[in-house]
Amino acid sequence: MTDVNTHTITINPVTRIEGHAKITIHLDDAGNVADTRFHVVEFRGFEKFCEGRFFAEMPQITARICGICPVSHLLASAKACDAVLGVEIPRPAKLLRELLHMGQLSQSHALSFFHLSAPDLLLGYDSDPALRNVIGLVQKHPDIARKGIRLRKFGQEVIKLTGGRKIHADFPVPGGVNKALTVAERDELLAGLPEAMDYGQFALELLRKYQGDHLSEVEEFASFDSNFMGLVQPDGALEHYDGNLRFCDPQGKVMEDQVDPAHYLDVIAEASESWSYLKFPFIKRLGYPQGIYRVGPLARLNVADKISTPQANAALAEWRAGAGKIRRSSFYYHWARLIEIVYALERIEQLLHDPNICSTEVMVNGRPANPQGIGVIEAPRGTLFHHYWVDETGRIEKVNLIVATGHNNLAMNRAVRAVADKYVKAKQLHEGMLNRVEAAIRCYDPCLSCSTHAVGQMPLLVRLVGPDGTVLNEVTRG
């Protein structure tokens, strides 16, 4: 990126996201944007300190990466451990894992839309920042806020009744799950579904109205060409728990299809930059940074041919009406998120009506049979990879984690630049302009605690700063 030594605007911290980050906007002499960067400034190190642990511990260890999406890490980790064991888990266990996953998907998407993004949409990007938050939303639109809270609560109840508790459940284990769903628990979830679906459809209608009233801004908001990646079923339908990888180009043409997730390293590579702890994945054959791709709700709908549940598939048809297959505006992550809520609720109903859902055949035992295990799912924010290398005793030798926020790193930087170019003018600068730059990041709903794990190869800069702000000394690595 361009070196700019004129004027820099720093947004620190970026608000209403999970984790810690800042944005720098570099202006030229005329006050126009010359460069932007999205800096992930926190570091976790899970890839390194998991080394030496017994592989069966990994679901519970890696779930602690994040309190927002522990279910996603539990499931990806359990799938990687299944691969180390070389076992096929019982069908009831797979149903229950997917049920847990759909609860996570619905509650996380509801949190993102109602708590983190709705204050911008319903109160206004230029509204008082002291009130532009979930508390301000409750004060001005209490009924909308209540419905959002109730919708999220249902997803949390799915997690609690299926997995035993709402956060960090010890439910998915290598070889299956460790508890069955009772008939009473199943019936309690079925009873809550109609209200949740009403609120899911309400959220979709709320967004339709906003988009209709602000169509030009919505279409242009952080809109740019990129490739897309997501899991699909063998028939090309939307998938979240199983499936294979599909890559599409900016026009929607399939570049790679039905790629076994176990072969992800054949198609994806990672780069690093000195100004961020977050790695930059890219499509190998296109190179860096030309191999930019997006994951998550927007990408999943762009790569899928259809959705296997009727209401969500009808919403997908509306998504594509008049626009073709591909939506490019980052704003449409919100729309895709709400369509996926409808899908998750429909899928929950299908799973609860499956005759095997309350079966007690939920686990198989085994010993480590393979030197590697790879588990891949579609977390709410996008494709999640857990890759473990083990020795003959099952001790972890190496770990690679690629999370949605990492896949989207190039795209988030591109989104920040697109919005800054349009809205940030130094001679007319106001807070609402900078809030729109932050909102570009919120579209991706990043989970930064999930995203920075590697140690040993990442660039590092440590500065010693005196009380007057003078840099007394600095040490760099990488």
Side-chain angles (χ1 to χ4, degrees):
M1 293 190 175
T2 309
D3 259 328
V4 179
N5 297 311
T6 51
H7 183 58
T8 301
I9 299 170
T10 302
I11 303 172
N12 187 16
V14 179
T15 60
R16 281 184 276 137
I17 62 170
E18 200 292 315
H20 305 285
K22 69 178 182 179
I23 294 169
T24 54
I25 304 171
H26 305 280
L27 306 177
D28 62 20
D29 291 333
N32 298 314
V33 174
D35 195 11
T36 61
R37 285 176 177 174
F38 174 61
H39 307 259
V40 178
V41 296
E42 63 176 296
F43 173 71
R44 304 297 300 287
F46 271 78
E47 285 181 346
K48 195 65 179 176
F49 66 63
C50 286
E51 292 176 7
R53 309 299 301 192
F54 187 56
F55 82 100
E57 297 178 85
M58 292 299 285
Q60 283 303 301
I61 292 174
T62 57
R64 267 63 184 182
I65 289 171
C66 181
I68 301 296
C69 41
V71 167
S72 302
H73 289 288
L74 277 168
L75 292 174
S77 182
K79 289 182 73 175
C81 292
D82 298 340
V84 170
L85 290 175
V87 299
E88 181 72 26
I89 69 172
R91 184 173 182 273
K94 182 179 176 183
L95 296 175
L96 289 169
R97 283 186 183 182
E98 188 179 359
L99 180 62
L100 189 78
H101 192 28
M102 292 298 102
Q104 167 69 7
L105 190 75
S106 56
Q107 75 87 16
S108 179
H109 282 351
L111 171 66
S112 174
F113 180 72
F114 284 99
H115 293 65
L116 304 181
S117 295
D120 291 327
L121 308 182
L122 301 180
L123 304 178
Y125 289 107
D126 300 305
S127 59
D128 182 354
L131 302 175
R132 195 179 57 227
N133 50 51
V134 68
I135 302 302
L137 185 66
V138 169
Q139 292 172 346
K140 189 165 183 180
H141 299 287
D143 185 56
I144 293 174
R146 182 185 67 83
K147 289 178 178 178
I149 291 168
R150 292 287 297 174
L151 179 58
R152 184 178 184 228
K153 182 177 186 294
F154 177 76
Q156 291 175 313
E157 287 302 308
V158 173
I159 296 170
K160 178 183 176 182
L161 293 178
T162 305
R165 58 184 185 222
K166 293 179 182 178
I167 300 176
H168 301 316
D170 60 357
F171 173 67
V173 294
V177 299
N178 62 12
K179 79 178 267 297
L181 187 73
T182 68
V183 171
E185 290 167 338
R186 178 200 65 188
D187 292 345
E188 183 176 343
L189 293 177
L190 283 170
L193 262 171
E195 180 190 69
M197 182 59 79
D198 284 347
Y199 294 160
Q201 292 287 3
F202 168 81
L204 261 176
E205 186 55 40
L206 194 67
L207 189 66
R208 287 188 190 102
K209 184 178 186 310
Y210 180 90
Q211 290 174 172
D213 293 341
H214 304 83
L215 186 58
S216 177
E217 181 178 19
V218 164
E219 288 280 358
E220 296 175 2
F221 194 80
S223 182
F224 54 89
D225 283 345
S226 75
N227 304 293
F228 302 95
M229 181 187 78
L231 291 176
V232 294
Q233 297 175 12
D235 62 356
L238 179 73
E239 179 54 50
H240 288 84
Y241 179 78
D242 266 334
N244 290 317
L245 296 168
R246 174 181 283 180
F247 293 79
C248 290
D249 70 11
Q251 286 70 48
K253 181 181 178 182
V254 176
M255 303 162 56
E256 303 275 356
D257 200 13
Q258 299 300 327
V259 176
D260 185 340
H263 299 152
Y264 76 101
L265 288 176
D266 293 340
V267 289
I268 295 172
E270 297 176 273
S272 62
E273 297 282 1
S274 62
W275 40 269
S276 179
Y277 282 118
L278 182 54
K279 293 179 285 186
F280 293 78
F282 61 95
I283 297 172
K284 252 184 180 179
R285 67 182 178 87
L286 298 180
Y288 178 80
Q290 293 79 12
I292 178 176
Y293 62 95
R294 286 186 264 185
V295 300
L298 177 82
R300 288 192 287 255
L301 295 196
N302 278 340
V303 304
D305 294 329
K306 61 182 179 180
I307 299 178
S308 60
T309 60
Q311 294 185 60
N313 197 51
L316 178 64
E318 180 184 359
W319 158 282
R320 290 179 174 161
K325 183 178 181 181
I326 297 298
R327 294 279 182 174
R328 294 175 175 79
S329 167
S330 298
F331 185 93
Y332 287 132
Y333 268 95
H334 301 311
W335 190 3
R337 213 165 267 128
L338 299 182
I339 293 173
E340 286 198 330
I341 287 178
V342 173
Y343 165 73
L345 296 175
E346 289 186 289
R347 184 63 184 142
I348 287 169
E349 184 172 25
Q350 290 178 345
L351 290 165
L352 292 174
H353 282 299
D354 191 289
N356 292 131
I357 196 65
C358 293
S359 169
T360 57
E361 186 187 351
V362 295
M363 190 188 301
V364 293
N365 295 315
R367 298 177 61 83
N370 297 313
Q372 296 184 42
I374 297 171
V376 181
I377 66 164
E378 286 289 344
R381 293 158 179 84
T383 320
L384 172 63
F385 293 84
H386 277 230
H387 187 176
Y388 308 151
W389 289 259
V390 301
D391 67 14
E392 65 277 4
T393 70
R395 298 290 172 183
I396 296 289
E397 294 183 323
K398 181 181 175 183
V399 174
N400 189 40
L401 306 173
I402 309 180
V403 306
T405 300
H407 294 296
N408 280 330
N409 198 6
L410 279 169
M412 289 188 295
N413 276 275
R414 184 78 62 85
V416 165
R417 178 61 188 266
V419 174
D421 281 341
K422 182 174 178 62
Y423 291 103
V424 176
K425 307 297 177 186
K427 294 179 181 178
Q428 305 164 346
L429 193 63
H430 58 83
E431 191 275 339
M433 291 179 179
L434 303 184
N435 183 44
R436 284 174 171 83
V437 176
E438 290 187 70
I441 295 298
R442 291 185 203 115
C443 290
Y444 294 82
D445 191 23
C447 185
L448 305 181
S449 296
C450 287
S451 63
T452 54
H453 305 292
V455 68
Q457 74 269 28
M458 298 297 288
L460 180 67
L461 169 63
V462 178
R463 279 182 175 155
L464 178 64
V465 181
D468 60 352
T470 303
V471 177
L472 303 176
N473 195 10
E474 69 177 39
V475 178
T476 61
R477 183 193 69 208

